[in-house]
Amino acid sequence: MPESLPVTHFRRVQSTLACDGVPLSAIASQAGTPVYVYSAEAIRGAYRRLDAALQGAPHAIHYALKANSSLAVLRLLRALGSGADANSVGEIDVALRAGFAPADIVFSGVGKTGDELERAVALGVKVINAESPGELDRIDAVARACGVRARVAIRVNPDIDPHSHRHISTGLRESQFGVPIELVRPLFRDVAGRAGLTPVGVHAHIGSQIMSLDPLGRTASALARLARELRDDGIRLEHVDLGGGLGIAYEQAPAPTAEEYAAAVVPAIRDLGVTLLIEPGRVLVGPAGVLVARVVDVKAGPHGKRFVVLDSGMTELLRPALYAAYHRVEPVAPRPGLSAPCDYVGPLCESSDVVGRDRLASPLEVGDLVAVFDAGAYGSTMASTYNRRPLAPEVLVDDGDWRLVRRRQTIADLVALEV
Ligand SMILES: Cc1ncc(COP(=O)(O)O)c(C=O)c1O
């Protein structure tokens, strides 16, 4: 198989789905369901492919913690040389616990509080991606009060449509993110004169689950043009940060490869004399995880369709309810028989609690296991405890073995905060 094609780490071994050779049924019988299962090798493979594809330019990969911030996943990525992209002080603290140094952490986010800015400045993170002139004022004030200069980038809103779901399109003028591109150059001139600020980069993140490379290429060109203009103004940047956004193949349509992504963005940046920084999340961990759930009921629906009720739904995996997102669902050990239409639904009294609508599935019975694919990103991190449902455990498969990397939350954990 050519190096550029994604390798699947979830394959059938004698008809039973396994993660890198470890049967999902064996994990579920010990860890219970629902349970998240991640392949360490899949994460390593995705990171190495992206890193290798970007060799044509000095680059730094800062993994976006929001996609999956389990300590085990973070330690794995750190060991490969990744930096971190944090979107809250909570993510900064988790990154530090995972062993990232402050200088490995970029701090993004549209609504950073005063406390968060104080912590980021005091730690001396690699860069704070500022979202507005007002935020630059606040960073400047915090830094001067600490007697330091904060390293800042300005998040640019390039008004580029990523052609993704509108809830995850963040580079359009009407969205709340960043500074309109035509205002950025004068803002940098102002920043360069501030005692508390050192301008080091420009940043953009136009959206997530991007399947067409043209918007990413145009963003790279827009930021490169800006970096050149700033150089003419005497402001030499260290890096151009393109954010994350690369999509994955949730449905069968092929996603852009790491090599195609690099070909779309590297040429614009390569000769600028700056580092290309990126903040990928989904592409590194999404395909590396499945959510394993158990069938708790099967009942007849309209027009010959079955409702397959799972012990897992929008509390564990919010994406289908939030964005009508598609996740492939397959029985772990299919029973013989004809496939028939079904809706895989969750256990909550919410009509949006549907894991997969209008699917075809082989016969399923109460107690059977199903795997929900591509659940490694924005799965566990978006989970909630709605209906007092404890958070699902997480398992990492590595080197032919598996281990629990987060235990299942208990009701005692849930009420422990209440006074
Ligand atoms: C600022 C920022 N950087 C990086 C990412 C990661 O994006 P993705 O998971 O699509 O690569 C996000 C996600 O929305 C983000 O908001």
Side-chain angles (χ1 to χ4, degrees):
M1 181 175 288
E3 195 37 36
S4 60
L5 288 182
V7 179
T8 176
H9 291 262
F10 296 92
R11 290 214 188 96
R12 295 198 176 271
V13 178
Q14 287 158 358
S15 91
T16 295
L17 263 177
C19 174
D20 290 328
V22 178
L24 295 178
S25 50
I27 296 173
S29 70
Q30 282 191 57
T33 56
V35 56
Y36 274 100
V37 179
Y38 309 127
S39 155
E41 257 325 280
I43 298 172
R44 289 192 193 103
Y47 182 90
R48 289 188 181 127
R49 266 198 306 278
L50 190 55
D51 194 28
L54 293 170
Q55 284 313 314
H59 65 276
I61 299 176
H62 284 256
Y63 168 66
L65 265 72
K66 58 176 16 178
N68 184 324
S69 57
S70 292
L71 288 168
V73 168
L74 299 184
R75 289 189 180 121
L76 209 153
L77 283 160
R78 194 182 73 83
L80 294 169
S82 182
D85 168 42
N87 272 256
S88 68
V89 83
E91 286 190 347
I92 290 179
D93 283 336
V94 168
L96 294 172
R97 280 172 193 246
F100 290 98
D104 300 329
I105 300 172
V106 306
F107 184 27
S108 312
V110 73
K112 306 178 198 78
T113 65
D115 286 350
E116 288 184 308
L117 291 177
E118 277 173 24
R119 176 124 173 91
V121 169
L123 279 169
V125 296
K126 174 168 175 165
V127 60
I128 302 176
N129 290 328
E131 291 269 348
S132 69
E135 187 170 88
L136 284 163
D137 289 344
R138 289 188 288 279
I139 301 169
D140 185 29
V142 167
R144 280 187 287 114
C146 295
V148 297
R149 292 178 85 101
R151 293 163 54 82
V152 292
I154 295 177
R155 178 168 180 177
V156 176
N157 183 322
D159 197 22
I160 291 176
D161 188 344
H163 305 301
S164 185
H165 191 281
R166 70 185 174 85
H167 290 181
I168 45 176
S169 297
T170 52
L172 285 165
R173 186 55 55 91
E174 63 259 29
S175 63
Q176 65 269 44
F177 306 100
V179 176
I181 191 156
E182 67 280 5
L183 304 181
V184 173
R185 195 174 174 186
L187 193 56
F188 260 105
R189 286 194 212 116
D190 172 38
V191 166
R194 305 284 193 101
L197 302 177
T198 301
V200 296
V202 279
H203 172 235
H205 171 77
I206 61 166
S208 198
Q209 185 49 19
I210 301 174
M211 295 296 268
S212 132
L213 291 169
D214 175 64
L216 289 165
R218 285 195 290 130
T219 304
S221 300
L223 292 192
R225 207 174 312 120
L226 186 57
R228 270 192 211 94
E229 289 168 358
L230 292 169
R231 196 169 54 199
D232 293 344
D233 294 343
I235 299 166
R236 286 201 165 267
L237 301 179
E238 291 176 16
H239 68 250
V240 166
D241 179 351
L242 276 185
L246 197 53
I248 61 173
Y250 288 104
E251 301 198 55
Q252 293 307 329
T257 63
E259 293 75 14
E260 288 164 345
Y261 171 69
V265 301
V266 166
I269 313 286
R270 192 170 33 210
D271 302 322
L272 279 179
V274 300
T275 298
L276 167 62
L277 195 155
I278 57 167
E279 304 166 353
R282 187 186 314 270
V283 71
L284 296 183
V285 293
V290 294
L291 174 63
V292 182
R294 205 174 280 283
V295 176
V296 293
D297 196 10
V298 181
K299 61 185 191 176
H303 316 299
K305 186 160 82 171
R306 289 165 300 164
F307 290 115
V308 177
V309 187
L310 305 176
D311 65 357
S312 172
M314 64 192 289
T315 40
E316 288 71 31
L317 184 64
L318 183 59
R319 299 187 68 257
L322 191 60
Y323 316 127
Y326 180 94
H327 283 266
R328 191 159 51 93
V329 185
E330 284 185 21
V332 168
R335 293 174 182 277
L338 288 181
S339 289
C342 76
D343 283 354
Y344 291 104
V345 300
L348 304 189
C349 189
E350 302 276 342
S351 49
S352 58
D353 193 20
V354 177
V355 179
R357 206 183 284 283
D358 294 327
R359 306 299 174 84
L360 272 181
S362 52
L364 279 161
E365 293 182 11
V366 171
D368 286 358
L369 296 170
V370 300
V372 185
F373 283 80
D374 301 310
Y378 306 103
S380 66
T381 48
M382 282 189 166
S384 79
T385 58
Y386 182 41
N387 278 219
R388 292 289 194 176
R389 290 171 56 78
L391 297 174
E394 295 174 287
V395 158
L396 188 70
V397 174
D398 199 7
D399 205 14
D401 209 352
W402 67 274
R403 67 191 166 95
L404 203 60
V405 293
R406 186 178 76 181
R407 68 166 169 83
R408 188 181 304 283
Q409 197 176 35
T410 63
I411 297 298
D413 293 330
L414 269 178
V415 297
L417 304 179
E418 294 179 30
V419 290

